[in-house]
Amino acid sequence: MFHFASALTGRMNMQAFPRDTITAGGALSMVFALIAIAAFLTYKKRWKWLWKEWLTSLDPKRIGVMYIIVALVMLLRGLGDVLLIRTQQATSVGSSHGILNSDHFQQIFSAHGSIMIFFVAMGLMFGLINLILPLHIGARDVAFPFLNSVAFWLFVAGMALMNLSIIFGEFSAAGWLAYPPLSELQYSPGVGVDYWIWSLQIAGVGSLLSGVNFLTTIFKMRAPGMTMMKMPIFVWSVLCSMLLVVFAFPILTVTLALLYFDRSLGMHFFTSTGGGNPMMYVNLIWAWGHPEVYILVLPAFGIYSEVVATFARKRLFGYKSMVWALGAITFLSFSVWLHHFFTMGAGADVNAFFGIMTMVIAVPTGVKIFNWLFTMYHGRILFATPMLWFMGFIATFTVGGVAGVLMAVPPADFQIHNSLFLVAHFHTMIIGGVVFGYFAGITYWFPKIFGFKLNERLGRYAFWSWLVGFLLAFIPLYILGFMGATRRLDHYSASEGWQGLFIVAGVGVLFVLLGVGFQILQFIVSIIQRKQNIDATGDPWNGRTLEWSAPSPVPFYNFTTIPEVHSRDAFWETKRAKISMPPRYEDITLPKNSPMGIFIAAFAFMVGFGCIWHIVWLIVLGLIGVVITVLVRSADEDTEETTTAAEVKRLDRVARKVAA
Amino acid sequence: MNADKSRAAIAGPLQAYITGFILSIALTLLAYSLTVHHVVAGNAFILVIASLAMIQLAIQLLFFLHLSQESRPRWRLLVFGFMVMVVAILVYGSVWIMNNLNYNMMTPSQLKTFMHQNEGL
Amino acid sequence: MSEAMVAHQSHPDDSKSILGFWIYIMTDCVLFASLFAVFAVMRNATFGGPNGHELFSLPFVLAETMLLLTSSFTCGLMVLAGRVRSKQWVMLALGVTFLLGLSFVCLEVSEFRHLVIEGNSWRRSGFLSAYFTLVATHGLHVSIGLLWLVVNGWRIVKRGLGDVTQKRLTLFSLFWHFLDIIWIIIFSMVYLVGVR
């Protein structure tokens, strides 16, 4: 219930600041990092540049880079959580209780999952889509550039709220999905679950807006001649993923809202009494949750299709069946969600139906794997870093996927549900499938966006460290799962005999961190050595799709003239036919910068903070602020600016002269 | 001005709105009177009301939202179709699953009441 | 909307905006579907308290339905008036649509007030939580629509009827028609079925 100590400050109090060493350490390092960045910007007098060139930009290439930077920073945070979890599980045996108390441990694994899914995976995905989608379809921009900015800043607001919980308050201890009754007020009376709810709710609205945006972009803004069946497969994968976003995220919005209503308004949706039904929460959250994992992985599959075709120097095998497979996965992903709660008590008929559907959905995924292998067959493969990430994916994802098919059989699942076998399975899917895919995308498209190539050697070291680390971290977990270890344990008895495997898993994490270290080093070294590694032609990999026809880095207008497309792999065909048309220049009108996205997100943050701490005036202020900002923006008639043809010609000459 | 100044050009759509409005009123009143006068009972009643709602829904989609008149490619129709599929799966699936769970997960006292009410024990 | 309905594509932006807004409306449909699913599951979760039969007043609900339905019709008239750029008819239809919508919201608020005063608020049972949330979410959408309508009216007064305004009226009408469609389902499946 909305109990507030005072109308002014809600239920805020001084106890909300960190009271144990580890949390305080985390909070202080975050605060110091922010101060350091602010100091650096002030010293270099770069605030105006940052505001004008990046923060208020409506260019999806800029927004994409910002998404990826935020996501990679959040990756570090999530890996920090992993270090703590692995240390705890490797040391908390018998009479030792490790380094964390139970409540803290629970907050850490809850934060770990929430951050990795919502801010790392979603962030990398939306970042890469922003960067590449318009280029792939021969467009200059997305359908709704302002909405794009709003979506990004809502993502940041959600991220900020989740990280604020370290500094002020606590985080949810109910897992990354916060099942009731544990997440209800009776068992989680503090602010933790509310932080979780509002962080996800705000970021979720951003995702929904992006879904609408990218779908309209693909439907309406393809270059002349690019029919649906001539689009790059990456675009198809984004189409399917965004269809899922658009139809799954509203379910999350509702479920989070209902949980919040239970906690704050005394409603009885998921309470244990009053007519509530906690099982309904599990049903709804997974009706969203299953499509969510396909949302994450489909664009990664799309990236693999692009990467394999480029580095096997061969056309993608089976374009039509790839499209069919993507479509099948999209449809089917709405029919399997109960497999996440086979053990919750449904009868055999219900379990059997969803079990069968789960096994069926593995088929189109298998089709895709075979198509990638057939693309490689008789190709002349170049094992550049992006291709290495793909190979890592093939090796790990297939095994993890098969583990999933095992669990699709309900009687088998009854043995291993919520064991570490499950944890190993889904991490294999997400790391081997999603993360490796987005790393492949980053290394593949980096030269296009920044104009210079990444250091290949460090990229290789990073990949191998990650792969070895991943295997060391998760093969023990598969074994532990079969040995009976359940997930989320913060302590176990020595007689179980599990400690050795947990220690191996901990070593695995260290290798992953080594891999991350190599990635950071790769960025630093590549930036320092950028002049030696300039991407002069704009086509460093001998690519096949339209983005490689633009100069590197891509100018803000993408293309001087919108290309006309006659076939799949449009750029490859023009290269083969040695068609080179003299560039035509025309006036280009694009959106101006706008700070309104930032303001809307800031007001949304206020609403979230107010809801968490029960500060009514802040909620009202935030809502009014959002409405007013929207009205101000919609009344603005001067939102675009035109670059004259002469100026475009000049910019193009500069871009290509640097390249030539 | 790109506006179509001709009154004649909006005669067709005007007719559509009027027809749709009248049909919707009729269907609403029909459903209402069926309820108030207890004409049908039980599951048949629910089916009839749901059908009347679906028909009125279709009428408003056609006459107010002009869904059938979209020119190719029919993206709105496609996305609408997908939405209908998702909604059907979500609503029907949830009701099926929750009924199944409720049936299998009753407490002993709920079980006693259930068996007494439904199975005459 | 057929392409002929959309101001002759004077701005290619129009069909893009309409498609984007339509997709957003589809997401709102899924949102309502989730609330309907919850209501369907909780239709009997009265926890010993009153159910629809005891709570709902059908004549009242019929009045609400007629108000909203008529406002959907006048909204269509408003868009047609906009197509022929007749400012007076647009403002008239807009005003009528607004008043009908406002009456709907007022009736709904009084219905809620009545329930709360009698002790049958959303806290009473799962059924009532589901009922209030579903119907109030719809009412909230209608209220936001009313605000949007006022803004549109203000814009027409200040800047006249241009292509951009016509596009916005078209988008509004999509929203408004869709809200009436959702209400049909609420009226039928929550009230009519619930009363029995």
Side-chain angles (χ1 to χ4, degrees), chain C residues 46-77:
Chain C
T46 51
F47 199 55
N51 59 21
H53 179 71
E54 291 143 42
L55 291 174
F56 300 150
S57 151
L58 278 191
F60 204 76
V61 171
L62 183 67
E64 286 176 330
T65 308
M66 286 305 168
L67 284 169
L68 200 63
L69 180 54
T70 312
S71 80
S72 195
F73 174 63
T74 58
C75 174
L77 297 180

mmCIF file of all heavy atoms in Angstrom, chain C residues 46-77:
data_model
loop_
_atom_site.group_PDB
_atom_site.id
_atom_site.type_symbol
_atom_site.label_atom_id
_atom_site.label_comp_id
_atom_site.label_asym_id
_atom_site.label_seq_id
_atom_site.Cartn_x
_atom_site.Cartn_y
_atom_site.Cartn_z
ATOM 1 N N THR C 46 -13.959 -13.926 -6.666
ATOM 2 C CA THR C 46 -14.635 -12.865 -5.912
ATOM 3 C C THR C 46 -14.318 -12.904 -4.424
ATOM 4 O O THR C 46 -14.723 -12.014 -3.672
ATOM 5 C CB THR C 46 -16.154 -12.970 -6.095
ATOM 6 O OG1 THR C 46 -16.546 -14.318 -5.802
ATOM 7 C CG2 THR C 46 -16.551 -12.629 -7.513
ATOM 8 N N PHE C 47 -13.637 -13.981 -3.993
ATOM 9 C CA PHE C 47 -13.194 -14.068 -2.590
ATOM 10 C C PHE C 47 -14.366 -13.801 -1.643
ATOM 11 O O PHE C 47 -14.249 -13.076 -0.657
ATOM 12 C CB PHE C 47 -12.065 -13.051 -2.351
ATOM 13 C CG PHE C 47 -11.252 -13.355 -1.125
ATOM 14 C CD1 PHE C 47 -10.649 -14.588 -0.955
ATOM 15 C CD2 PHE C 47 -11.080 -12.398 -0.133
ATOM 16 C CE1 PHE C 47 -9.893 -14.873 0.173
ATOM 17 C CE2 PHE C 47 -10.317 -12.664 0.994
ATOM 18 C CZ PHE C 47 -9.726 -13.904 1.154
ATOM 19 N N GLY C 48 -15.505 -14.390 -1.968
ATOM 20 C CA GLY C 48 -16.654 -14.222 -1.094
ATOM 21 C C GLY C 48 -17.375 -12.903 -1.304
ATOM 22 O O GLY C 48 -18.432 -12.660 -0.733
ATOM 23 N N GLY C 49 -16.828 -12.039 -2.114
ATOM 24 C CA GLY C 49 -17.451 -10.740 -2.319
ATOM 25 C C GLY C 49 -18.410 -10.755 -3.491
ATOM 26 O O GLY C 49 -18.723 -11.813 -4.036
ATOM 27 N N PRO C 50 -18.877 -9.594 -3.890
ATOM 28 C CA PRO C 50 -19.888 -9.542 -4.951
ATOM 29 C C PRO C 50 -19.292 -9.815 -6.329
ATOM 30 O O PRO C 50 -18.115 -9.565 -6.580
ATOM 31 C CB PRO C 50 -20.400 -8.100 -4.877
ATOM 32 C CG PRO C 50 -19.279 -7.342 -4.282
ATOM 33 C CD PRO C 50 -18.549 -8.267 -3.366
ATOM 34 N N ASN C 51 -20.132 -10.341 -7.225
ATOM 35 C CA ASN C 51 -19.692 -10.548 -8.609
ATOM 36 C C ASN C 51 -20.433 -9.577 -9.522
ATOM 37 O O ASN C 51 -21.164 -8.698 -9.052
ATOM 38 C CB ASN C 51 -19.943 -11.995 -9.036
ATOM 39 C CG ASN C 51 -21.413 -12.363 -8.939
ATOM 40 O OD1 ASN C 51 -22.301 -11.496 -8.930
ATOM 41 N ND2 ASN C 51 -21.690 -13.653 -8.850
ATOM 42 N N GLY C 52 -20.260 -9.731 -10.814
ATOM 43 C CA GLY C 52 -20.832 -8.798 -11.769
ATOM 44 C C GLY C 52 -22.341 -8.681 -11.652
ATOM 45 O O GLY C 52 -22.914 -7.596 -11.762
ATOM 46 N N HIS C 53 -22.958 -9.835 -11.405
ATOM 47 C CA HIS C 53 -24.419 -9.857 -11.320
ATOM 48 C C HIS C 53 -24.920 -8.866 -10.287
ATOM 49 O O HIS C 53 -25.946 -8.206 -10.454
ATOM 50 C CB HIS C 53 -24.871 -11.279 -10.986
ATOM 51 C CG HIS C 53 -26.346 -11.427 -10.841
ATOM 52 N ND1 HIS C 53 -27.195 -11.355 -11.931
ATOM 53 C CD2 HIS C 53 -27.125 -11.628 -9.770
ATOM 54 C CE1 HIS C 53 -28.437 -11.515 -11.522
ATOM 55 N NE2 HIS C 53 -28.432 -11.683 -10.212
ATOM 56 N N GLU C 54 -24.190 -8.783 -9.183
ATOM 57 C CA GLU C 54 -24.642 -7.903 -8.107
ATOM 58 C C GLU C 54 -24.200 -6.463 -8.289
ATOM 59 O O GLU C 54 -24.743 -5.561 -7.683
ATOM 60 C CB GLU C 54 -24.088 -8.406 -6.764
ATOM 61 C CG GLU C 54 -24.709 -9.716 -6.305
ATOM 62 C CD GLU C 54 -23.683 -10.612 -5.630
ATOM 63 O OE1 GLU C 54 -22.872 -10.094 -4.834
ATOM 64 O OE2 GLU C 54 -23.678 -11.831 -5.901
ATOM 65 N N LEU C 55 -23.213 -6.241 -9.115
ATOM 66 C CA LEU C 55 -22.600 -4.914 -9.160
ATOM 67 C C LEU C 55 -22.982 -4.074 -10.381
ATOM 68 O O LEU C 55 -23.049 -2.861 -10.291
ATOM 69 C CB LEU C 55 -21.082 -5.038 -9.131
ATOM 70 C CG LEU C 55 -20.458 -5.532 -7.826
ATOM 71 C CD1 LEU C 55 -18.973 -5.739 -8.017
ATOM 72 C CD2 LEU C 55 -20.733 -4.550 -6.698
ATOM 73 N N PHE C 56 -23.212 -4.740 -11.522
ATOM 74 C CA PHE C 56 -23.330 -3.957 -12.743
ATOM 75 C C PHE C 56 -24.755 -3.509 -12.996
ATOM 76 O O PHE C 56 -25.702 -4.274 -12.831
ATOM 77 C CB PHE C 56 -22.836 -4.765 -13.940
ATOM 78 C CG PHE C 56 -21.394 -5.200 -13.841
ATOM 79 C CD1 PHE C 56 -20.970 -6.369 -14.445
ATOM 80 C CD2 PHE C 56 -20.473 -4.434 -13.159
ATOM 81 C CE1 PHE C 56 -19.642 -6.775 -14.364
ATOM 82 C CE2 PHE C 56 -19.145 -4.829 -13.063
ATOM 83 C CZ PHE C 56 -18.728 -6.003 -13.662
ATOM 84 N N SER C 57 -24.863 -2.232 -13.431
ATOM 85 C CA SER C 57 -26.175 -1.707 -13.776
ATOM 86 C C SER C 57 -26.250 -1.582 -15.283
ATOM 87 O O SER C 57 -25.578 -0.741 -15.886
ATOM 88 C CB SER C 57 -26.366 -0.342 -13.118
ATOM 89 O OG SER C 57 -27.234 0.456 -13.896
ATOM 90 N N LEU C 58 -27.047 -2.430 -15.908
ATOM 91 C CA LEU C 58 -27.041 -2.486 -17.370
ATOM 92 C C LEU C 58 -27.515 -1.220 -18.074
ATOM 93 O O LEU C 58 -26.908 -0.818 -19.070
ATOM 94 C CB LEU C 58 -27.856 -3.695 -17.845
ATOM 95 C CG LEU C 58 -27.093 -5.015 -17.820
ATOM 96 C CD1 LEU C 58 -27.867 -6.098 -18.546
ATOM 97 C CD2 LEU C 58 -25.730 -4.861 -18.459
ATOM 98 N N PRO C 59 -28.567 -0.579 -17.608
ATOM 99 C CA PRO C 59 -28.980 0.649 -18.302
ATOM 100 C C PRO C 59 -27.853 1.683 -18.336
ATOM 101 O O PRO C 59 -27.649 2.368 -19.338
ATOM 102 C CB PRO C 59 -30.164 1.148 -17.475
ATOM 103 C CG PRO C 59 -30.657 -0.042 -16.759
ATOM 104 C CD PRO C 59 -29.465 -0.907 -16.492
ATOM 105 N N PHE C 60 -27.166 1.787 -17.221
ATOM 106 C CA PHE C 60 -26.038 2.709 -17.107
ATOM 107 C C PHE C 60 -24.996 2.410 -18.174
ATOM 108 O O PHE C 60 -24.528 3.299 -18.895
ATOM 109 C CB PHE C 60 -25.420 2.513 -15.720
ATOM 110 C CG PHE C 60 -24.668 3.684 -15.202
ATOM 111 C CD1 PHE C 60 -25.338 4.792 -14.704
ATOM 112 C CD2 PHE C 60 -23.282 3.691 -15.193
ATOM 113 C CE1 PHE C 60 -24.646 5.872 -14.211
ATOM 114 C CE2 PHE C 60 -22.585 4.766 -14.701
ATOM 115 C CZ PHE C 60 -23.262 5.860 -14.211
ATOM 116 N N VAL C 61 -24.677 1.132 -18.275
ATOM 117 C CA VAL C 61 -23.644 0.712 -19.212
ATOM 118 C C VAL C 61 -24.116 0.917 -20.646
ATOM 119 O O VAL C 61 -23.327 1.286 -21.520
ATOM 120 C CB VAL C 61 -23.284 -0.761 -18.950
ATOM 121 C CG1 VAL C 61 -22.375 -1.294 -20.023
ATOM 122 C CG2 VAL C 61 -22.614 -0.908 -17.605
ATOM 123 N N LEU C 62 -25.408 0.702 -20.895
ATOM 124 C CA LEU C 62 -25.949 0.935 -22.240
ATOM 125 C C LEU C 62 -25.780 2.398 -22.621
ATOM 126 O O LEU C 62 -25.398 2.722 -23.753
ATOM 127 C CB LEU C 62 -27.412 0.534 -22.304
ATOM 128 C CG LEU C 62 -28.063 0.670 -23.690
ATOM 129 C CD1 LEU C 62 -27.441 -0.328 -24.663
ATOM 130 C CD2 LEU C 62 -29.563 0.461 -23.618
ATOM 131 N N ALA C 63 -26.040 3.284 -21.650
ATOM 132 C CA ALA C 63 -25.866 4.718 -21.915
ATOM 133 C C ALA C 63 -24.419 5.017 -22.281
ATOM 134 O O ALA C 63 -24.137 5.717 -23.262
ATOM 135 C CB ALA C 63 -26.291 5.519 -20.681
ATOM 136 N N GLU C 64 -23.493 4.467 -21.497
ATOM 137 C CA GLU C 64 -22.072 4.675 -21.793
ATOM 138 C C GLU C 64 -21.752 4.204 -23.209
ATOM 139 O O GLU C 64 -21.055 4.880 -23.979
ATOM 140 C CB GLU C 64 -21.200 3.899 -20.797
ATOM 141 C CG GLU C 64 -21.151 4.516 -19.406
ATOM 142 C CD GLU C 64 -20.360 3.660 -18.421
ATOM 143 O OE1 GLU C 64 -20.338 2.418 -18.580
ATOM 144 O OE2 GLU C 64 -19.773 4.227 -17.498
ATOM 145 N N THR C 65 -22.292 3.032 -23.548
ATOM 146 C CA THR C 65 -21.991 2.453 -24.861
ATOM 147 C C THR C 65 -22.497 3.348 -25.984
ATOM 148 O O THR C 65 -21.787 3.592 -26.965
ATOM 149 C CB THR C 65 -22.622 1.059 -24.973
ATOM 150 O OG1 THR C 65 -22.239 0.281 -23.844
ATOM 151 C CG2 THR C 65 -22.197 0.368 -26.241
ATOM 152 N N MET C 66 -23.720 3.840 -25.816
ATOM 153 C CA MET C 66 -24.297 4.690 -26.862
ATOM 154 C C MET C 66 -23.508 5.981 -27.014
ATOM 155 O O MET C 66 -23.270 6.466 -28.127
ATOM 156 C CB MET C 66 -25.757 4.996 -26.532
ATOM 157 C CG MET C 66 -26.661 3.805 -26.774
ATOM 158 S SD MET C 66 -26.491 3.202 -28.474
ATOM 159 C CE MET C 66 -27.350 1.664 -28.357
ATOM 160 N N LEU C 67 -23.075 6.546 -25.885
ATOM 161 C CA LEU C 67 -22.287 7.777 -25.944
ATOM 162 C C LEU C 67 -21.006 7.551 -26.734
ATOM 163 O O LEU C 67 -20.664 8.337 -27.635
ATOM 164 C CB LEU C 67 -21.944 8.243 -24.524
ATOM 165 C CG LEU C 67 -23.063 8.899 -23.722
ATOM 166 C CD1 LEU C 67 -22.641 9.054 -22.271
ATOM 167 C CD2 LEU C 67 -23.431 10.251 -24.322
ATOM 168 N N LEU C 68 -20.302 6.491 -26.400
ATOM 169 C CA LEU C 68 -19.015 6.257 -27.051
ATOM 170 C C LEU C 68 -19.199 5.919 -28.529
ATOM 171 O O LEU C 68 -18.445 6.395 -29.391
ATOM 172 C CB LEU C 68 -18.264 5.132 -26.337
ATOM 173 C CG LEU C 68 -16.756 5.113 -26.584
ATOM 174 C CD1 LEU C 68 -16.116 6.376 -26.048
ATOM 175 C CD2 LEU C 68 -16.124 3.884 -25.947
ATOM 176 N N LEU C 69 -20.204 5.125 -28.825
ATOM 177 C CA LEU C 69 -20.475 4.730 -30.206
ATOM 178 C C LEU C 69 -20.796 5.961 -31.056
ATOM 179 O O LEU C 69 -20.269 6.141 -32.155
ATOM 180 C CB LEU C 69 -21.639 3.741 -30.225
ATOM 181 C CG LEU C 69 -22.103 3.186 -31.567
ATOM 182 C CD1 LEU C 69 -20.938 2.573 -32.314
ATOM 183 C CD2 LEU C 69 -23.184 2.139 -31.345
ATOM 184 N N THR C 70 -21.645 6.823 -30.514
ATOM 185 C CA THR C 70 -21.990 8.038 -31.255
ATOM 186 C C THR C 70 -20.769 8.920 -31.453
ATOM 187 O O THR C 70 -20.572 9.511 -32.519
ATOM 188 C CB THR C 70 -23.094 8.815 -30.523
ATOM 189 O OG1 THR C 70 -24.133 7.921 -30.155
ATOM 190 C CG2 THR C 70 -23.666 9.911 -31.410
ATOM 191 N N SER C 71 -19.924 8.995 -30.410
ATOM 192 C CA SER C 71 -18.737 9.827 -30.565
ATOM 193 C C SER C 71 -17.799 9.254 -31.612
ATOM 194 O O SER C 71 -17.097 10.000 -32.306
ATOM 195 C CB SER C 71 -18.010 9.981 -29.233
ATOM 196 O OG SER C 71 -17.229 8.857 -28.955
ATOM 197 N N SER C 72 -17.786 7.934 -31.755
ATOM 198 C CA SER C 72 -16.977 7.324 -32.805
ATOM 199 C C SER C 72 -17.508 7.738 -34.177
ATOM 200 O O SER C 72 -16.754 8.022 -35.106
ATOM 201 C CB SER C 72 -17.011 5.801 -32.644
ATOM 202 O OG SER C 72 -16.006 5.178 -33.402
ATOM 203 N N PHE C 73 -18.832 7.790 -34.281
ATOM 204 C CA PHE C 73 -19.457 8.207 -35.538
ATOM 205 C C PHE C 73 -19.139 9.671 -35.839
ATOM 206 O O PHE C 73 -18.725 10.009 -36.950
ATOM 207 C CB PHE C 73 -20.960 7.974 -35.439
ATOM 208 C CG PHE C 73 -21.741 8.490 -36.610
ATOM 209 C CD1 PHE C 73 -21.545 7.974 -37.885
ATOM 210 C CD2 PHE C 73 -22.682 9.501 -36.447
ATOM 211 C CE1 PHE C 73 -22.267 8.452 -38.976
ATOM 212 C CE2 PHE C 73 -23.415 9.972 -37.524
ATOM 213 C CZ PHE C 73 -23.211 9.452 -38.787
ATOM 214 N N THR C 74 -19.315 10.540 -34.837
ATOM 215 C CA THR C 74 -19.051 11.960 -35.087
ATOM 216 C C THR C 74 -17.574 12.197 -35.375
ATOM 217 O O THR C 74 -17.204 13.123 -36.095
ATOM 218 C CB THR C 74 -19.498 12.839 -33.904
ATOM 219 O OG1 THR C 74 -18.827 12.415 -32.718
ATOM 220 C CG2 THR C 74 -20.997 12.752 -33.698
ATOM 221 N N CYS C 75 -16.732 11.339 -34.821
ATOM 222 C CA CYS C 75 -15.311 11.451 -35.127
ATOM 223 C C CYS C 75 -15.075 11.179 -36.613
ATOM 224 O O CYS C 75 -14.301 11.888 -37.269
ATOM 225 C CB CYS C 75 -14.528 10.448 -34.277
ATOM 226 S SG CYS C 75 -12.788 10.351 -34.681
ATOM 227 N N GLY C 76 -15.759 10.173 -37.138
ATOM 228 C CA GLY C 76 -15.653 9.907 -38.570
ATOM 229 C C GLY C 76 -16.113 11.098 -39.392
ATOM 230 O O GLY C 76 -15.486 11.475 -40.391
ATOM 231 N N LEU C 77 -17.213 11.724 -38.936
ATOM 232 C CA LEU C 77 -17.712 12.910 -39.632
ATOM 233 C C LEU C 77 -16.666 14.023 -39.599
ATOM 234 O O LEU C 77 -16.480 14.754 -40.580
ATOM 235 C CB LEU C 77 -19.014 13.390 -38.989
ATOM 236 C CG LEU C 77 -20.193 12.428 -39.058
ATOM 237 C CD1 LEU C 77 -21.424 13.035 -38.389
ATOM 238 C CD2 LEU C 77 -20.513 12.053 -40.500
#
